[in-house]
Amino acid sequence: MRIVVALGGNALLHRGERPDAERQRANIDRAVTSLAALAHENELVITHGNGPQIGLLAVESAADPALRAPYPLDLLGAQTQGMIGSMLARALRAALPGRAVAALVTHTVVRADDPAFDRPTKFVGQVFPRELAQSRARARGWDVAADTTGWRRVVPSPEPAGIVETDTVRALLAAGTLVICAGGGGVPVTADRDTGALTGVDAVIDKDLTAVLLAEELKADFLLILTDVPYVYSGYGTPGRRPVLDATPAELRRGDFPDGSMRPKTEAAARFVERTGGLAAIGALDSAYEIVHGKAGTLVRPELPIG
């Protein structure tokens, strides 16, 4: 079975944890223990989030006095692909001796006229008090918006339209390689209609939607979205919350899930199931094997045929 696994950025660096390299390596080692069990029986393509990591790099770049201007988000995204990809590749090679593993810097094409460029919504970087956030916005040309605990920079999050390296990923899979790619949704680029030349854009692509596109293009059988909670919860954050054990795409879309966290994951799972007829699941980082075998997590399945 061919499985695309999407690792959440907050699963690799938990909320509230210091962003130290050792802490991220420890979290990755824990994830790889579960992924290695899956890799013995299946073809795996692993993608990952980068929210905490690109936020950290964006803050560092903006504060660096040696730079005339901060690095754009496409280049920061490429940096996070290299960093997280390297940690994942080393851990997977240690867990799967003799298995070929490749971490691939991947570019995701977006439309230059995507309306998301006029409506920045993706939070990036640290939380500020309102006055300081607005001051930074004026000084640096940022857009800012209220988050749950303060004010943060927001950037465009256009829809992924294509993955440049899909054929390369297919070739690696055909050679028996476990592939890590499309981290952070991929490096966002536009493609020239005539020459195909790629130009980076200052944006962040939703990694779960890129994972759906990747899974579709690779004809995957299963999309596995791993995060820092064991299930999708109905009534999350309330005393009456309950785990959703399985659902159809329509049932998921009727759920009241937080826009900034679980909503993109449920939408990605619903899209994959609707478009391919395959299965998707959402669950905890260290339960990958159990989720695929129906013993944990939230399963998303196609609608049953009537009659």
Side-chain angles (χ1 to χ4, degrees):
M1 183 163 64
R2 179 171 290 178
I3 303 173
V4 170
V5 182
L7 305 176
N10 283 322
L12 300 177
L13 187 61
H14 301 166
R15 291 174 178 85
E17 285 185 333
R18 292 178 61 88
D20 297 323
E22 278 305 314
R23 173 45 50 196
Q24 295 186 63
R25 277 195 286 262
N27 289 339
I28 283 172
D29 286 344
R30 184 167 60 88
V32 162
T33 300
S34 184
L35 292 174
L38 272 185
H40 287 301
E41 305 170 357
N42 305 280
E43 287 185 328
L44 289 194
V45 179
I46 298 172
T47 184
H48 57 81
N50 70 342
Q53 294 83 4
I54 197 170
L56 177 65
L57 291 179
V59 169
E60 292 175 348
S61 180
D64 191 336
L67 297 176
R68 290 184 179 178
Y71 275 71
L73 291 170
D74 59 306
L75 295 183
L76 295 181
Q79 288 184 52
T80 65
Q81 281 196 50
M83 177 179 67
I84 300 170
S86 174
M87 289 191 287
L88 281 167
R90 282 183 276 174
L92 285 161
R93 288 193 179 102
L96 298 164
R99 182 73 173 269
V101 179
L104 187 65
V105 174
T106 314
H107 300 80
T108 301
V109 176
V110 301
R111 290 177 21 241
D113 61 352
D114 191 307
F117 287 111
D118 297 321
R119 297 193 302 270
T121 58
K122 190 79 167 179
F123 289 109
V124 172
Q126 68 195 105
V127 177
F128 298 102
R130 179 176 180 174
E131 292 77 12
L132 181 55
Q134 292 175 338
S135 172
R136 295 283 174 92
R138 288 190 295 270
R140 296 174 179 170
W142 288 356
D143 292 288
V144 295
D147 198 0
T148 53
T149 57
W151 284 67
R152 298 174 69 191
R153 181 185 178 190
V154 287
V155 302
S157 185
E159 286 267 337
I163 297 169
V164 175
E165 291 82 6
T166 299
D167 285 343
T168 304
V169 176
R170 287 196 192 100
L172 289 167
L173 288 172
T177 304
L178 190 160
V179 184
I180 304 155
C181 63
V187 177
V189 294
T190 56
D192 185 273
R193 290 183 180 180
D194 298 321
T195 66
L198 303 178
T199 301
V201 295
D202 207 30
V204 173
I205 304 171
D206 184 273
K207 63 95 181 164
D208 293 312
L209 296 185
T210 298
V212 174
L213 182 60
L214 180 67
E216 285 185 78
E217 293 187 351
L218 295 176
K219 300 189 184 315
D221 304 291
F222 201 111
L223 174 63
L224 177 59
I225 300 174
L226 299 177
T227 183
D228 55 354
V229 293
Y231 300 96
V232 174
Y233 287 96
S234 174
Y236 186 77
T238 70
R241 81 168 191 173
R242 62 174 181 81
V244 178
L245 302 182
D246 71 273
T248 65
E251 289 168 344
L252 274 187
R253 289 201 175 100
R254 288 197 293 269
D256 184 19
F257 305 118
D259 287 337
S261 56
M262 190 54 72
R263 174 65 67 183
K265 296 172 177 57
T266 58
E267 175 59 28
R271 286 192 193 188
F272 176 74
V273 172
E274 286 175 336
R275 293 177 181 179
T276 70
L279 296 173
I282 302 169
L285 185 68
D286 54 1
S287 300
Y289 186 88
E290 291 78 9
I291 294 168
V292 170
H293 288 82
K295 298 178 180 178
T298 297
L299 179 69
V300 187
R301 50 179 171 74
E303 302 280 351
L304 293 174
I306 298 174

